[in-house]
Amino acid sequence: MANVSHGRSDISSHPDVSEMRERYARMLGGRDVALVDGPVFLLGLYCAASPWILHYTASQPALVTHNLIMGIAIGLLALGFTRAPERMYGLSWAMCALGIWMIIAPWVVGTSPDKGVIINNVIIGALALCLGLVCAASAAKRTPVT
């Protein structure tokens, strides 16, 4: 009678182990920013909605448009990090630039912004800068040194 029991063995004895490992690595490749893309998207969503949340649509109309456009841009970067992270590593530094711009924008775009608008944009900018640095560090870790 044949031995039909399935003994527990290590997967290293499987004939296709190298192909399975390669496929697994390829599927997970580029997902280093997976932890960051959700918070980046939420930050973009808040940035776009912040003029209506903080009620400065009448006092700062230029900043309303600015924050809406910047929020959409940050949200699109987050969607890019989710959809094609291996292609988006180069744009990690753009996230940092958007963060720095958000910090200085109330004085450049706005007209005599009040304290609430300044604090809002500085917090959004600081978070965008920090998340961009996390993405950039993850990109630098994945890029092979030649």
Side-chain angles (χ1 to χ4, degrees):
M1 183 161 228
N3 183 8
V4 290
S5 65
H6 298 285
R8 302 238 176 209
S9 65
D10 191 12
I11 193 149
S12 61
S13 63
H14 193 281
D16 296 328
V17 70
S18 61
E19 181 183 342
M20 289 188 304
R21 284 184 180 150
E22 183 180 314
R23 186 180 305 157
Y24 182 73
R26 191 173 55 242
M27 286 176 60
L28 290 180
R31 292 303 300 156
D32 295 343
V33 294
L35 186 64
V36 180
D37 54 3
V40 170
F41 183 74
L42 290 175
L43 182 67
L45 187 64
Y46 174 75
C47 180
S50 66
W52 291 274
I53 293 171
L54 297 178
H55 304 292
Y56 61 87
T57 54
S59 64
Q60 298 289 329
L63 272 176
V64 171
T65 306
H66 171 268
N67 280 17
L68 179 64
I69 292 170
M70 293 296 288
I72 291 170
I74 291 171
L76 288 175
L77 274 175
L79 291 176
F81 288 145
T82 302
R83 182 74 180 133
E86 64 279 353
R87 293 182 187 169
M88 295 296 290
Y89 279 140
L91 290 178
S92 300
W93 291 107
M95 186 73 180
C96 297
L98 290 176
I100 292 169
W101 174 250
M102 284 298 294
I103 292 171
I104 62 172
W107 296 281
V108 176
V109 177
T111 53
S112 63
D114 62 353
K115 194 163 131 181
V117 173
I118 293 170
I119 290 172
N120 179 59
N121 274 27
V122 167
I123 289 174
I124 292 172
L127 287 172
L129 179 62
C130 290
L131 291 170
L133 288 173
V134 168
C135 291
S138 152
K141 184 177 73 173
R142 284 194 54 82
T143 306
V145 179
T146 56

